[in-house]
Amino acid sequence: MMTEDLDHRFSCLTWEQIKILDQVLTEAIPIHGRGNFPTLEVKPKDIIHVVKEQLTKKQIAIRDIRLNGSTASHILAKQNGTSYKDLDIIFGVELPSEQEFQVVKEAVLNCLLDFLPKCVNKEKITAQTMKDAYVQKMVKVSTDHDRWSLISLSNNRGKNVELKFVNSLRRQFEFSVDSFQIILDSMLTFYSGADGKLSEDSSPSIVAESMYGDFKEAMDHLKYKLIATRNPEEIRGGGLLKYSNLLVRDFKPADEVEIKSLERYMCSRFFIDFPDVAEQQRKIESYLRNHFIGEEKSKYDYLMTLRGVVNESTVCLMGQERRQTLNMITILALKVLGEQNIIPNAANVTCYYQPAPYISDRNFSNYYIAHGQPPILYQPFSFHIHMQSGMV
């Protein structure tokens, strides 16, 4: 067992966990370039080091550096089969003005130059060029309560390196199982030492924190695959998409009664943040692209799980709006089946629909969209699907 600190939010990593952390930080991750730009092989510990060095030179104050979310959960409970996709690294920094945001962005983009092959002429490569070639997305939030930025580096297999620069962030987790942060400073100091050879006797003391609050409780949730959160209305999107993802991965609510109340808050916040059906569709499709790489067969189960939650717990929408959202999710699920060349069993599926104009097209299928057709856009026609299995 881990040795608990005096504060119930913290715990020290065991030697076994430190070894897994070392593997994560020293394993090269490919950053795929667009066009003719080469793939960069980047070790997390190296990019953390050069970014930290650049920020220090630019006089950006760094409080600490942490490993966040699913990667931290993987390190703490790998024996439970936990996995991770994105490598989420948080730099705690001071961002008092717009100038600091710009300095951080330029520092990161310039750091990427260090990872280009030696044969590449770097003199004429600008920061903007590196952004276009290697950055998947950039986000900046500057409000009275939240000041942070994110630079996500591209990986075609879904394991993006996400560098997050946080001055302040009110809500740092969605659910207890993804609330862990591992403080890396002592490990980074160890790497910069003369020897740098990790052993049980020489390993540094490394502390993890649960932003959920109670470290032991959050670890129990992770160990036994339990779902718990608080105040989901504080989360952008309400945590609805992540919640459905946990359900489809066989996580169970820690409190069956409480979760039904929380589901209503999740749905309400989701529809506040994404009030238009087209916005909802874009958000769901983006989530599928980013979280189900290599798991195509799980997409259908995920969408039908999401549909079930929305159907049972949405109280903030008018009847017509609610039906439009449910129809949109159903159509996305049928599209997923079509992409996998799977046709639902006719004995278990009944479709009721009012034909839209394009259904007269002889190439249109009522049950699935064949692979290679243009992306489907939601059309507001009456559509209902009923499965005897009770999933829909």
Side-chain angles (χ1 to χ4, degrees):
M1 289 293 292
M2 297 178 192
T3 304
E4 288 198 355
D5 198 357
L6 294 177
D7 191 325
H8 68 285
R9 297 173 61 92
F10 297 89
S11 183
C12 291
L13 268 64
T14 65
W15 165 237
E16 291 301 318
Q17 291 165 337
I18 291 173
K19 287 194 293 184
I20 299 169
L21 173 62
D22 178 59
Q23 292 170 5
V24 168
L25 293 177
T26 56
E27 178 188 18
I29 298 175
I31 307 300
H32 297 108
R34 297 184 181 89
N36 294 324
F37 279 82
T39 296
L40 309 181
E41 296 292 335
V42 176
K43 293 180 180 179
K45 73 179 186 69
D46 292 339
I47 194 166
I48 293 171
H49 174 75
V50 294
V51 170
K52 179 182 178 181
E53 201 172 56
Q54 280 291 315
L55 294 180
T56 302
K57 285 182 181 178
K58 299 293 184 180
Q59 299 183 328
I60 299 292
I62 302 175
R63 296 187 301 274
D64 57 24
I65 302 173
R66 300 181 176 218
L67 200 60
N68 183 55
S70 62
T71 313
S73 299
H74 166 77
I75 290 165
L76 295 173
K78 183 181 179 182
Q79 71 276 10
N80 286 8
T82 58
S83 60
Y84 69 99
K85 287 187 169 64
D86 293 341
L87 192 75
D88 192 358
I89 301 162
I90 296 178
F91 291 77
V93 294
E94 299 298 323
L95 301 170
S97 70
E98 176 64 30
Q99 180 180 352
E100 282 75 22
F101 278 101
Q102 188 64 27
V103 168
V104 166
K105 183 178 80 170
E106 291 178 357
V108 173
L109 295 175
N110 288 331
C111 285
L112 292 179
L113 288 169
D114 295 344
F115 295 96
L116 285 170
K118 293 181 180 180
C119 59
V120 175
N121 184 357
K122 306 174 185 177
E123 292 182 4
K124 295 183 179 181
I125 300 178
T126 64
Q128 181 62 42
T129 302
M130 295 301 288
K131 173 182 177 294
D132 295 338
Y134 293 107
V135 173
Q136 168 111 356
K137 66 179 177 181
M138 298 182 74
V139 178
K140 184 181 79 172
V141 175
S142 180
T143 67
D144 292 339
H145 302 287
D146 296 326
R147 291 183 64 80
W148 57 272
S149 66
L150 169 73
I151 300 177
S152 178
L153 305 179
S154 300
N155 178 281
N156 295 342
R157 297 196 291 270
K159 189 179 283 189
N160 296 331
V161 176
E162 300 207 329
L163 306 175
K164 200 170 193 175
F165 302 88
V166 177
N167 180 93
S168 58
L169 182 58
R170 282 182 300 177
R171 181 78 181 213
Q172 297 194 46
F173 72 97
E174 289 186 275
F175 296 88
S176 60
V177 293
D178 64 11
S179 69
F180 299 104
Q181 294 183 357
I182 297 174
I183 303 170
L184 297 178
D185 297 81
S186 60
M187 193 69 164
L188 298 173
T189 300
F190 174 82
Y191 284 138
S192 62
D195 185 3
K197 186 176 181 180
L198 191 66
S199 67
E200 187 169 3
D201 294 333
S202 66
S203 65
S205 176
I206 301 170
V207 174
E209 179 180 4
S210 169
M211 310 311 289
Y212 175 73
D214 188 316
F215 193 96
K216 183 178 183 303
E217 182 182 359
M219 276 299 297
D220 284 344
H221 292 166
L222 184 61
K223 180 179 179 180
Y224 297 109
K225 302 185 76 170
L226 299 176
I227 303 171
T229 188
R230 61 173 66 94
N231 304 325
E233 68 275 10
E234 296 176 353
I235 308 168
R236 177 163 172 79
L240 175 63
L241 302 186
K242 176 63 179 283
Y243 173 65
S244 301
N245 197 352
L246 291 174
L247 288 175
V248 88
R249 297 182 191 281
D250 296 324
F251 282 72
K252 306 296 182 185
D255 187 323
E256 292 279 359
V257 175
E258 181 188 33
I259 204 69
K260 289 302 177 184
S261 173
L262 295 179
E263 281 182 6
R264 290 194 286 272
Y265 286 106
M266 292 179 206
C267 291
S268 296
R269 179 60 196 262
F270 181 80
F271 292 119
I272 288 171
D273 292 332
F274 309 102
D276 180 76
V277 178
E279 287 182 89
Q280 297 162 17
Q281 178 173 332
R282 284 193 293 271
K283 183 64 179 177
I284 293 169
E285 289 177 330
S286 174
Y287 192 89
L288 288 172
R289 283 195 301 272
N290 293 329
H291 294 85
F292 287 86
I293 294 176
E295 299 179 274
E296 301 302 315
K297 293 183 179 179
S298 298
K299 288 182 178 180
Y300 176 80
D301 290 338
Y302 172 78
L303 287 166
M304 300 318 295
T305 299
L306 172 62
R307 188 187 189 281
V309 175
V310 171
N311 186 42
E312 293 176 11
S313 300
T314 298
V315 295
C316 62
L317 296 182
M318 299 292 287
Q320 177 62 15
E321 294 171 325
R322 181 172 170 276
R323 285 192 294 272
Q324 287 181 345
T325 297
L326 292 174
N327 290 345
M328 175 269 292
I329 297 173
T330 302
I331 292 171
L332 287 180
L334 294 176
K335 177 185 175 185
V336 165
L337 292 181
E339 289 172 345
Q340 299 174 33
N341 292 321
I342 299 173
I343 301 176
N345 185 337
N348 295 326
V349 178
T350 306
C351 293
Y352 304 95
Y353 62 91
Q354 176 182 336
Y358 54 77
I359 292 184
S360 60
D361 183 346
R362 70 181 59 184
N363 294 320
F364 179 85
S365 169
N366 294 334
Y367 288 106
Y368 70 99
I369 307 300
H371 184 70
Q373 287 187 326
I376 186 170
L377 296 175
Y378 170 74
Q379 298 289 335
F381 60 87
S382 177
F383 184 96
H384 175 72
I385 182 169
H386 171 71
M387 290 191 178
Q388 293 179 359
S389 64
M391 290 193 65
V392 183

